[in-house]
Amino acid sequence: MSSEYGSVKSSKLKFKGEKKKRKRKIRETTQGTESSLEDDPTARHRVWWIVRDIADVKGSVLLEHRESTSYVIACEDATVACGDVREQSEGPDNAEIFTALPGSAANKVALKTGYDKFLTVGVDGSITGRAEAIGAREEFTVSFNAEHQTLVGCNGRYLTFNKDGSIGCTGTEAKESCEVVIRTRGDKVRKQETLAEKEKKGSAREYEVNYVKLYQKFQDKKLKLSDKGVKNLKEARKEGRFHEEMLDRREKMKSDRYCM
């Protein structure tokens, strides 16, 4: 009996009206998919698209070195450097993803690392990630060109990619070594107000109340504000250090859950 079944050739179940698929077409489809990855530059960076406007520099961003197509990476020792060159369709590491926050002007942003620290430009142009708040040294001016962007630190120098893989704000001219491609995976439609625009709305005391509500504990169900008054806040707003003044007030409040 087993010999009789063994002589029967097995085949796929066929239905009436079903068309036979050609293997040649399947191979062509596979080849077309592979070639599309090579030809499409966006496929190399997964869902990360190039920003064309300062309003889109927000949330999670990548800083790509245009020449080597590698991403800026935040190291454990609080320094920044060029990461490894990415393979085709390979996404970034977590250490290569920064959080962009609006600065004190429309064309300025601050960059927070995955270690919850802001990038700071030193006097010598070095860049480190140790700051806990946004100040003048933590802001970068963004300029847009046809195919790339440039970042300028508080020292007036361009962010530059050095040959040894190090990065610093040392460039005096916008050369090829200063060309950055900023990528984001955020919404292309929604816009976000800059920090300066938010500060201008309402009085200084109203902004302080909203700011304190984000961080303060309410164990006794009472909102505690600084006893300094609003005079220092108004002066800080005029001098462009409003955010720093707010942080100083946070550190002195015992009910703050982050600055004890």
Side-chain angles (χ1 to χ4, degrees), residues 117-131:
K117 304 293 182 181
F118 290 97
L119 295 185
T120 303
V121 179
V123 179
D124 57 350
S126 61
I127 302 177
T128 57
R130 295 189 178 94

Side-chain angles (χ1 to χ4, degrees), residues 44-45 64-71 83-86:
R44 292 192 178 97
H45 305 275
E64 179 190 351
H65 183 205
R66 190 187 180 196
E67 291 183 351
S68 64
T69 65
S70 60
Y71 303 132
D84 297 331
V85 178
R86 290 292 161 196

Side-chain angles (χ1 to χ4, degrees), residues 198-210 230 233-234 237 242 246:
K198 291 181 179 180
E199 291 173 358
K200 291 178 181 179
K201 291 185 176 181
S203 63
R205 176 62 74 181
E206 290 174 350
Y207 185 85
E208 182 184 17
V209 171
N210 295 330
V230 296
L233 289 179
K234 292 181 179 180
R237 175 183 284 181
F242 193 80
M246 292 300 303

Side-chain angles (χ1 to χ4, degrees), residues 93-243:
D93 291 337
N94 291 333
E96 296 172 333
I97 301 176
F98 295 84
T99 301
L101 299 174
S104 59
N107 61 339
K108 292 185 178 182
V109 296
L111 299 171
K112 182 186 289 187
T113 68
Y115 301 100
D116 203 26
K117 304 293 182 181
F118 290 97
L119 295 185
T120 303
V121 179
V123 179
D124 57 350
S126 61
I127 302 177
T128 57
R130 295 189 178 94
E132 297 184 356
I134 303 174
R137 295 199 303 162
E138 286 72 43
E139 293 185 341
F140 295 85
T141 303
V142 185
S143 299
F144 288 84
N145 295 285
E147 299 295 335
H148 64 275
Q149 297 85 37
T150 56
L151 296 176
V152 179
C154 61
N155 59 351
R157 302 294 180 91
Y158 289 93
L159 186 145
T160 305
F161 296 89
N162 302 315
K163 294 182 179 180
D164 60 354
S166 61
I167 301 173
C169 286
T170 56
T172 56
E173 298 179 1
K175 300 180 180 179
E176 292 184 357
S177 59
C178 304
E179 296 177 356
V180 184
V181 177
I182 303 177
R183 295 180 177 273
T184 183
R185 58 182 176 185
D187 191 355
K188 294 184 179 182
V189 179
R190 185 175 53 189
K191 301 297 181 181
Q192 181 176 344
E193 290 181 325
T194 63
L195 182 61
E197 291 173 340
K198 291 181 179 180
E199 291 173 358
K200 291 178 181 179
K201 291 185 176 181
S203 63
R205 176 62 74 181
E206 290 174 350
Y207 185 85
E208 182 184 17
V209 171
N210 295 330
Y211 187 86
V212 169
K213 285 181 180 179
L214 296 176
Y215 304 101
Q216 194 173 102
K217 292 181 179 180
F218 295 93
Q219 295 178 351
D220 54 357
K221 297 183 180 181
K222 292 182 179 180
L223 185 66
K224 297 181 180 180
L225 300 177
S226 175
D227 55 359
K228 285 186 176 182
V230 296
K231 184 178 180 180
N232 293 340
L233 289 179
K234 292 181 179 180
E235 293 178 356
R237 175 183 284 181
K238 293 179 181 179
E239 297 174 1
R241 52 180 184 84
F242 193 80
H243 195 78

